[in-house]
Amino acid sequence: MGTTPRVVIIGAGIVGANLADELTERGWDRVTVLDQGPLPLTGGSTSHAPGLVYQTGPSKTMTGFAAYTVEKFTGLEADDGWCFNPVGGLEIATTPERLADLHRKQGWAASWGIPGEVVGPEECAKLHPLLDADRILGGFHTPTDGLAKASRVVAVLAGRAEARGAVFQGGTRVVGVKHSGARVTGVETTQGEVPADIVVCCAGFWGREVGAMAGMTVPLLPMAHQYARTAPLPELAGRNDERIEARLPILRHQDRDLYFREHVDRLGIGSYAHRPMAVGLDELPRLDAPTEEAMPSMLAFTGEDFAESWEHGRRLLPALEQARIEDGFNGVFSFTPDGGPLIGESPEVAGFWIAEAVWVTHSAGVARSVAQLLVDGRSELDLHGCSVHRFDEIETADAYVEETSRQNFIEIYDVKHPLQPKLSPRDLRTSPFHARQKELGAVFLESHGWERPHWYGANAALAKDLPMDWRPPSRDAWSGMFHDTSIVAVEAWKTRNAVAMYDMTSLKRVEVTGPGALAYLDRLTTGKMDKTVGAVTYTLMLDDAGGVRSDITVARLDEQEFQIGVNGNIDLDYLRRELPGDGSVRVRDITGGTCCIGVWGPLARDLVQPLTRDDFSHEGLRFFRCKRARIAGIPVTAMRLSYVGELGWEIYTSAEYGQRLWDVLFEAGRDLGVVAAGRAAFNSLRLEKGYRAWGADMTTEHDPYEAGVGFAVRPDKGPFVGRDAIAGRDEGSVERRLSCLTVDDRRSVLLGSEPVLLDGDPAGYITSAAFSHTLGTPIAYAWLPASATVGTPVEVQYFDRRVRATVAAEPLVDPEMARIRR
């Protein structure tokens, strides 16, 4: 009898075949792959995929997935031809905005280790002779991008997996997921039951239907995307044969939502320029014998939707002027609320996993990470942006998934600013202060459905009062977009010199209670939890390899009651999974029923103390302590914390009292010059203090000492998750470090992911950045080699130019912590 788990993979497409290959390569030999369609052409998205593999994007993880896909597919060989054809990629610009974006993209490529360069129109035409060089301004060329022959890759991978013991079974539709005691036991199929210890759904756009069988909500929307092929073109005659198929680089004309690739002597043209076409699964034909011309994932071509795209293609490529479209189809594939894949284990049924909304581009990389999760317990690439648990409940509602997925389709090739606000849906989640914030002219950005003030228009009138050394320079157009520099400067100035109120409601709060709560938290965190009631602890949650899973604050409100500030729904899912089976611990998300105001600044005590009989003096409520109190009669929990590096408190109350609390504090602060302040000032101030943001500055790919949060680790407290993995490590032994930078050019405010160069070569990348209003200069954090010590000069590639910067000692403001401990 085998010793490895019995695994059933649902879906024999590009993801399922890759996963079977990755698992069997790791020695798991009891793997069964089921598909409702016939093998090897099952009729899913893989069967018709055009196979473009563009590696570069703003996400390090997604780029890593794509780079591994290129590496793996390059090493595959099939008897009937190539599996990966490294023709390269060429993205062209026809507007100045797109050309600037291509320079930004080249920076991402340098950050993530992908070769690429921005070239002029003439070089573009040399790379792709069908281009009209007079119509373009330049292009981004990536020589290692290329074409994957998805159906051929699947056949090769299936053969490799079968040689190691895997079984592939077509014509077998899964109709149910079996489970007992909240653990998966197998799947029910049209051919009978297949037992399993682990089930992984890789069913593509059918994934939502299969997930529902296990009671799991899978937030994806099947959508149709147009693909057409021309009749043979004289300009391509004789260039390629059936085995080579393509020599020209794959071409993207993103200003018109188009891409092009060769098919021997024809061109294939894909378009995202048409109306979003959501597809119901009941609309799809269920064919017993799909062919290359007819399969469930290929709907009839709607020529009227393609007409405008065809005209734009003919203008860009003169060879198309006398050509005609010979055939086409509307291919079905998956979109999600934020455009990312969905990876994770069901919260209700242990052992039921999904790997969905994965395109050919990222297929091998996703499969490797899922295999690593199953076999090793962790992925070497950080997966927080891919976790199916990243969404809050409102984001998985059908209407939300459909609207946001449709919008992602529309915007797929748009030049998007990191702060670009979502237009709809909005006002899904608002704090009790929302009405007052609107009265103050708040400019809101959205996060997980929450409306979060970025800055307040009411503060514009105070800009004239700014001291000269606090008046910020004008920004370049890109970094100044969706940002009011003068207002943000006012809000930062008031926080540093008077007092400001920040809405912290959207940060997720979890209540942990019960007789086992202390031991439970002690096991999951790096800090000492057995402290007196009223203690607040900044601590980390690590994974088994010592990577930073999250950073959290734990407030002990009573002997068996803790309030935890976490980084999002992924943390909540983890906390629930780790609950002991004896019922001694309860975990409850209290975010929606509570609210929080951060009152911070040197005059914070002058504002709060007259409103309460409780002692808010330094001695009465010390730093990193909390207590229950009343402010103007309102029951609150006050925590002496400050993410902006100033005196003050996070003040929590139940949502019913929220607006009253805001009104009382704001009115009491009028004579002190209080202002409401937003996330833009908050981010600037926290970077001045060197406070890390999990998910941006550090992830599971980093250990605490590399990330500069080793002070939160107490290895002598006893066992905790990750303790053994980081034993013997310290700040002196790291090879890379999260480093603080000051930037020389005052107008160039970085936004993240830009490459950092040492001695002219890429050596790291920016994680977070802002303009420091306290210091009057842009600042940033970046991952760099440990050899880049304080004082080391570096350069940051910012679009098409290099900006000088210097590694600086941190924190940049108040290193003695005197301001926060008044």
Side-chain angles (χ1 to χ4, degrees):
M1 189 172 180
T3 57
T4 62
R6 297 167 300 175
V7 180
V8 166
I9 298 171
I10 304 172
I14 194 74
V15 182
N18 262 297
L19 180 56
D21 178 65
E22 295 286 337
L23 287 174
T24 55
E25 186 180 34
R26 287 164 172 78
W28 283 26
D29 54 1
R30 296 198 291 173
V31 176
T32 302
V33 184
L34 306 176
D35 202 294
Q36 63 183 345
L39 302 176
L41 196 67
T42 63
S45 298
T46 299
S47 305
H48 66 68
L52 281 65
V53 181
Y54 274 95
Q55 298 167 87
T56 305
S59 164
K60 179 178 182 292
T61 295
M62 296 297 284
T63 301
F65 287 158
Y68 180 69
T69 299
V70 167
E71 176 188 337
K72 181 174 181 175
F73 290 4
T74 299
L76 300 180
E77 295 182 7
D79 293 338
D80 55 345
W82 53 272
C83 289
F84 184 77
N85 186 353
V87 294
L90 181 63
E91 302 177 51
I92 54 97
T94 58
T95 65
E97 293 77 15
R98 179 67 63 183
L99 185 61
D101 191 60
L102 295 184
H103 282 289
R104 183 169 65 125
K105 185 169 288 186
Q106 193 276 326
W108 296 338
S111 290
W112 317 140
I114 305 298
E117 63 176 335
V118 176
V119 298
E122 294 77 16
E123 183 62 23
C124 289
K126 288 180 182 177
L127 291 165
H128 201 297
L130 300 189
L131 275 170
D132 181 353
D134 292 336
R135 291 190 175 272
I136 61 177
L137 302 179
F140 173 48
H141 179 232
T142 44
T144 58
D145 288 345
L147 296 167
K149 190 72 170 180
S151 56
R152 203 173 282 157
V153 168
V154 166
V156 172
L157 295 178
R160 293 203 321 191
E162 286 174 324
R164 304 184 191 116
V167 174
F168 280 68
Q169 186 174 319
T172 306
R173 185 181 177 196
V174 173
V175 295
V177 175
K178 310 288 288 184
H179 52 90
S180 176
R183 172 160 284 282
V184 75
T185 59
V187 296
E188 188 69 37
T189 79
T190 50
Q191 306 299 315
E193 185 175 337
V194 181
D197 304 302
I198 296 171
V199 174
V200 187
C201 180
C202 305
F205 53 78
W206 283 289
R208 186 164 185 154
E209 181 181 81
V210 176
M213 298 175 190
M216 186 176 183
T217 300
V218 181
L220 65 78
L221 181 71
M223 298 191 73
H225 156 60
Q226 289 201 300
Y227 192 76
R229 287 186 292 190
T230 68
L233 300 176
E235 290 81 357
L236 296 180
R239 284 180 54 90
N240 309 302
D241 57 34
E242 292 291 339
R243 287 187 61 86
I244 296 297
E245 194 170 342
R247 297 180 190 273
L248 294 177
I250 47 180
L251 177 67
R252 287 207 284 192
H253 180 20
Q254 292 167 299
D255 288 323
R256 294 300 181 182
D257 297 313
L258 292 170
Y259 64 81
F260 307 82
R261 59 149 293 183
E262 285 179 288
H263 293 281
V264 189
D265 58 355
R266 303 192 294 168
L267 273 188
I269 307 170
S271 170
Y272 293 99
H274 55 80
R275 60 190 169 92
M277 304 181 207
V279 177
L281 296 183
D282 55 353
E283 302 173 39
L284 303 179
R286 295 196 182 266
L287 304 177
D288 294 330
T291 66
E292 289 192 8
E293 289 74 35
M295 58 184 68
S297 58
M298 293 174 66
L299 304 181
F301 187 66
T302 51
E304 64 275 13
D305 291 304
F306 194 74
E308 186 175 352
S309 293
W310 177 235
E311 290 307 312
H312 288 306
R314 293 169 77 179
R315 291 174 196 156
L316 182 72
L317 305 175
L320 300 181
E321 289 179 1
Q322 304 302 316
R324 61 181 177 86
I325 297 296
E326 187 169 85
D327 57 58
F329 60 92
N330 292 358
V332 182
F333 63 154
S334 303
F335 269 75
T336 62
D338 61 5
L342 305 172
I343 299 171
E345 185 181 20
S346 164
E348 290 86 16
V349 180
F352 181 83
W353 291 72
I354 67 167
E356 299 292 11
V358 181
W359 297 1
V360 170
T361 303
H362 308 109
S363 57
V366 167
R368 179 179 64 170
S369 283
V370 173
Q372 289 172 343
L373 286 170
L374 296 177
V375 177
D376 306 322
R378 75 183 300 267
S379 161
E380 66 184 75
L381 290 175
D382 164 59
L383 298 181
H384 83 273
C386 308
S387 170
V388 68
H389 308 297
R390 67 189 182 270
F391 301 109
D392 282 346
E393 187 175 11
I394 189 65
E395 298 173 280
T396 65
D398 288 351
Y400 184 94
V401 171
E402 178 155 352
E403 181 176 352
T404 53
S405 297
R406 284 172 176 266
Q407 192 61 29
N408 282 330
F409 182 94
I410 293 169
E411 296 176 349
I412 189 167
Y413 278 171
D414 287 3
V415 176
K416 295 193 69 174
H417 191 278
L419 296 178
Q420 186 167 321
K422 180 182 291 182
L423 298 179
S424 179
R426 295 297 297 266
D427 293 332
L428 295 176
R429 306 169 83 180
T430 59
S431 79
F433 325 130
H434 188 66
R436 298 296 185 256
Q437 292 166 342
K438 290 178 73 173
E439 292 169 3
L440 293 170
V443 174
F444 294 96
L445 296 184
E446 180 270 352
S447 178
H448 294 287
W450 281 105
E451 296 295 323
R452 305 199 303 181
H454 203 51
W455 72 82
Y456 291 84
N459 295 327
L462 301 176
K464 67 181 185 305
D465 299 325
L466 280 171
M468 291 303 299
D469 58 347
W470 275 80
R471 297 187 181 186
S474 60
R475 292 191 177 194
D476 65 274
W478 180 255
S479 68
M481 200 176 294
F482 307 113
H483 191 90
D484 191 304
T485 304
S486 295
I487 292 179
V488 175
V490 166
E491 293 174 9
W493 173 55
K494 283 285 190 175
T495 309
R496 287 277 184 251
N497 295 282
V499 60
M501 291 166 49
Y502 290 81
D503 180 0
M504 306 299 290
T505 301
S506 64
L507 302 183
K508 190 173 285 291
R509 292 171 291 288
V510 177
E511 178 187 82
V512 178
T513 57
L518 175 61
Y520 162 80
L521 290 172
D522 212 41
R523 178 175 64 85
L524 297 182
T525 66
T526 62
K528 179 178 171 58
M529 294 293 107
D530 191 8
K531 297 179 179 179
T532 59
V533 172
V536 183
T537 305
Y538 172 83
T539 188
L540 311 175
M541 294 193 296
L542 306 182
D543 64 17
D544 289 329
V548 181
R549 182 187 291 275
S550 188
D551 65 337
I552 62 176
T553 55
V554 180
R556 191 170 196 179
L557 303 181
D558 210 332
E559 290 295 326
Q560 297 182 10
E561 181 184 357
F562 298 82
Q563 180 175 311
I564 305 177
V566 300
N567 280 300
N569 208 57
I570 295 174
D571 287 349
L572 178 60
D573 175 74
Y574 175 66
L575 290 170
R576 286 173 170 164
R577 290 179 188 279
E578 293 297 320
L579 283 170
D582 59 7
S584 63
V585 183
R586 294 176 296 278
V587 168
R588 186 167 70 99
D589 182 358
I590 62 172
T591 312
T594 58
C595 57
C596 178
I597 302 174
V599 180
W600 292 310
L603 302 182
R605 189 172 288 119
D606 300 74
L607 190 160
V608 173
Q609 187 62 76
L611 299 174
T612 179
R613 294 180 179 179
D614 294 284
D615 188 358
F616 275 69
S617 69
H618 179 61
E619 293 73 22
L621 185 54
R622 291 189 174 274
F623 192 48
F624 269 91
R625 298 288 298 179
C626 69
K627 68 178 176 182
R628 291 184 167 117
R630 285 186 179 268
I631 293 177
I634 301 166
V636 303
T637 299
M639 299 186 190
R640 181 91 183 270
L641 306 176
S642 176
Y643 208 46
V644 299
E646 291 294 334
L647 167 68
W649 308 270
E650 294 178 356
I651 302 175
Y652 298 87
T653 191
S654 61
E656 61 191 315
Y657 304 125
Q659 183 168 297
R660 173 64 178 164
L661 179 63
W662 179 279
D663 288 347
V664 165
L665 291 170
F666 202 79
E667 183 60 33
R670 286 188 187 277
D671 291 342
L672 301 171
V674 71
V675 297
R679 301 292 297 186
F682 179 87
N683 188 57
S684 171
L685 296 168
R686 71 100 179 164
L687 282 174
E688 292 177 354
K689 288 298 297 178
Y691 295 151
R692 277 62 169 147
W694 188 87
D697 299 317
M698 57 187 179
T699 68
T700 53
E701 295 183 15
H702 313 108
D703 76 35
Y705 304 105
E706 295 172 325
V709 288
F711 63 86
V713 179
R714 298 287 183 267
D716 56 348
K717 75 162 189 172
F720 58 84
V721 175
R723 179 191 182 202
D724 293 343
I726 60 172
R729 301 187 200 178
D730 58 29
E731 287 82 357
S733 63
V734 301
E735 296 183 356
R736 59 178 177 174
R737 182 179 291 116
L738 186 63
S739 303
C740 180
L741 303 180
T742 56
V743 181
D744 290 0
D745 184 350
R746 297 183 74 221
R747 296 183 68 251
S748 298
V749 181
L750 311 173
L751 291 172
S753 299
E754 297 92 347
V756 182
L757 297 88
L758 271 173
D759 299 323
D761 296 320
Y765 58 92
I766 300 294
T767 59
S768 295
F771 187 86
S772 168
H773 296 281
T774 308
L775 301 177
T777 189
I779 59 175
Y781 273 78
W783 281 101
L784 289 174
S787 58
T789 54
V790 172
T792 301
V794 298
E795 292 179 305
V796 181
Q797 183 177 325
Y798 186 64
F799 289 90
D800 59 345
R801 59 194 178 89
R802 294 184 178 184
V803 178
R804 289 195 298 270
T806 306
V807 178
E810 58 170 333
L812 293 167
V813 172
D814 190 27
E816 299 82 14
M817 299 290 284
R819 301 176 66 89
I820 207 168
R821 299 179 185 274
R822 304 181 203 214

